[in-house]
Amino acid sequence: MKLPISFYQRQNVVTIARDLLGKVLCTQFNGNLTSGIIVETEAYSFVERGCHAYRGMTERNKVMFELGGISYVYLCYGIHHLFNVVTNREGKADAILVRALEPKNGIEMMMERMHVKSPKRITSGPGKLTKALGIDRSHNGKQLFDQELWIEEVSKKISSKNIIESKRIGIDYAGEDANLLWRFSVKKNEWVSK
DNA sequence: TACGTGATCACG
DNA sequence: GTGATCACGTAA
């Protein structure tokens, strides 16, 4: 079942980042379904320095200010497309970076997109999973309740004792806010990024 | 540890 | 316009 839009429109981005673990991120382009179980996320909120929206709205981050339930995809280091889920109400610019997946459907297609012959660590990192699922900036601002890009709920939920909290990666510029334990990952899951 | 890579942002 | 910066990944 696709997650309802109300899932994304709650106000606590940290809670939603935890809740996303165990959900399934899916894409379907030209009939090719690819998906993976979300095993690592990071929360970002406009109130703290780690967030792109901290200094207000720009051309790049404007979709973060829209009502939750859409994607925010941007190019990082000139090479990698990073996929985020926009949450909260209009004007409250929060988002969750999806950092790693455990591959589920369409593994052959993912290997083809990655130009590799083995699925080993094929979706273990935020730049890699977008490439494996075929996500790029053309999907920025897209509704997460549609035919090409969505997130599904599966029966089993990750219990809180199996969730590891840690500091977010690669935001040294954020000062004290870099110490927030807003990165969440599934304990002992081999697909978590290194 | 070092660096490729190009859009973006804050200057003027 | 321009230059510094960057929510990564790979090689070494």
Side-chain angles (χ1 to χ4, degrees):
Chain A
M1 290 288 288
K2 286 182 186 177
L3 288 177
I5 287 297
S6 59
F7 176 93
Y8 306 104
Q9 296 175 355
R10 290 176 289 160
Q11 298 191 19
N12 189 330
V13 68
V14 171
T15 299
I16 306 172
R18 298 177 69 106
D19 288 351
L20 276 176
L21 296 178
K23 305 290 190 285
V24 182
L25 176 61
C26 309
T27 61
Q28 185 161 24
F29 305 119
N30 303 315
N32 290 306
L33 173 66
T34 48
S35 74
I37 302 164
I38 298 171
V39 297
E40 181 181 348
T41 60
E42 283 177 359
Y44 290 88
S45 176
F46 67 100
V47 300
E48 50 86 19
R49 304 179 74 88
C51 184
H52 286 168
Y54 180 70
R55 289 175 182 78
M57 193 187 295
T58 66
E59 186 58 31
R60 178 177 69 166
N61 69 22
K62 63 185 181 187
V63 304
M64 288 183 73
F65 289 80
E66 294 184 33
L67 182 58
I70 61 176
S71 62
Y72 168 45
V73 185
Y74 71 95
L75 190 65
C76 182
Y77 296 106
I79 305 169
H80 310 289
H81 298 269
L82 301 203
F83 171 78
N84 296 253
V85 171
V86 175
T87 67
N88 212 333
R89 312 301 298 182
E90 191 175 352
K92 306 288 189 186
D94 294 351
I96 297 159
L97 173 66
V98 177
R99 290 189 54 88
L101 303 175
E102 177 177 330
K104 189 163 185 265
N105 294 301
I107 294 174
E108 291 293 324
M109 184 75 218
M110 294 188 210
M111 291 192 293
E112 193 176 314
R113 287 179 178 141
M114 299 297 278
H115 305 109
V116 294
K117 295 194 172 76
S118 156
K120 188 172 162 60
R121 303 201 70 69
I122 201 172
T123 49
S124 297
K128 289 160 77 172
L129 72 90
T130 53
K131 189 172 177 188
L133 265 61
I135 297 170
D136 61 38
R137 287 192 307 146
S138 71
H139 308 291
N140 186 39
K142 287 283 203 312
Q143 289 288 335
L144 295 175
F145 199 87
D146 78 6
Q147 302 297 318
E148 289 201 314
L149 176 60
W150 69 93
I151 300 177
E152 288 181 359
E153 172 129 51
V154 288
S155 52
K156 66 170 190 230
K157 190 170 149 77
I158 307 294
S159 76
S160 102
K161 71 174 194 301
N162 287 319
I163 296 176
I164 296 176
E165 301 177 353
S166 56
K167 294 180 186 178
R168 294 172 295 176
I169 306 291
I171 54 162
D172 294 343
Y173 58 84
E176 299 255 315
D177 292 329
N179 294 320
L180 292 168
L181 300 177
W182 282 13
R183 174 179 177 228
F184 303 98
S185 57
V186 177
K187 190 182 281 186
K188 289 194 203 156
N189 188 289
E190 63 176 318
W191 295 94
V192 171
S193 71
K194 294 231 165 74

